[in-house]
């Protein structure tokens, strides 16, 4: 049992605790900064996928894959469901893309 009755004991205790506290503080801030960085990267990826869905020259197959990929972003459920349900899709194989988008909307609704 540590008594801390002398100045030397206090200095020894502080010599252990203060560096550990500084290390813990640094770890917390590093983790928070890294989490914000990852969230920003996910945000950017989400918008890249949405841009791909809107491209006029992209293949239906790649747009179907993009619609499926949107299922990884449940934090954007409201906007994804809105877009998937209201999208006006024209062209060859438009029904396939519309089915995939509706399946994505149903999947995200089921998560709520």
């Amino acid at each position: 049992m540590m008594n801390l009755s002398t100045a030397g004991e206090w200095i020894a205790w502080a010599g252990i605790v203060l560096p550990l506290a500084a290390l813990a503080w640094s770890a917390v801030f590093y983790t928070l900064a890294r989490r914000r960085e990852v969230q920003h990267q996910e945000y950017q990826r989400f918008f890249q996928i949405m841009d791909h869905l809107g491209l006029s020259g992209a293949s239906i197959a790649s747009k179907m894959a993009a619609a499926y990929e949107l299922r990884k972003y449940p934090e954007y459920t409201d906007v994804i469901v809105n877009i998937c349900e209201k999208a006006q899709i024209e062209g060859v194989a438009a029904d396939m893309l519309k089915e995939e988008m509706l399946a994505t909307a149903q999947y995200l609704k089921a998560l709520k």
Side-chain angles (χ1 to χ4, degrees):
M1 184 168 146
M2 194 167 183
N3 195 352
L4 300 179
S5 59
T6 66
E9 290 173 348
W10 277 99
I11 292 171
W13 181 82
I16 294 171
V17 171
L18 291 177
L20 290 176
L23 183 63
W25 187 261
S26 296
V28 166
F29 276 101
Y30 174 79
T31 302
L32 292 174
R34 185 71 179 123
R35 183 179 298 154
R36 281 191 304 271
E37 184 179 317
V38 168
Q39 287 173 338
H40 182 69
Q41 289 170 350
E42 288 177 0
Y43 167 83
Q44 288 178 323
R45 179 70 184 133
F46 170 75
F47 279 95
Q48 287 174 345
I49 293 168
M50 294 301 289
D51 281 343
H52 185 78
L53 278 174
L55 288 177
S56 61
S59 71
I60 292 293
S62 68
K63 288 184 177 189
M64 287 174 64
Y68 184 84
E69 187 74 11
L70 289 174
R71 297 176 189 188
K72 294 181 180 178
Y73 299 93
E75 62 271 20
Y76 298 106
T77 293
D78 293 335
V79 72
I80 293 170
V81 168
N82 194 21
I83 290 169
C84 287
E85 290 180 344
K86 295 179 181 176
Q88 299 292 324
I89 304 168
E90 298 175 0
V92 178
D95 290 339
M96 290 173 34
L97 178 56
K98 186 64 177 175
E99 286 176 26
E100 189 62 45
M101 291 179 77
L102 290 176
T104 295
Q106 290 173 350
Y107 175 84
L108 290 172
K109 283 181 181 179
L111 292 179
K112 272 189 153 180

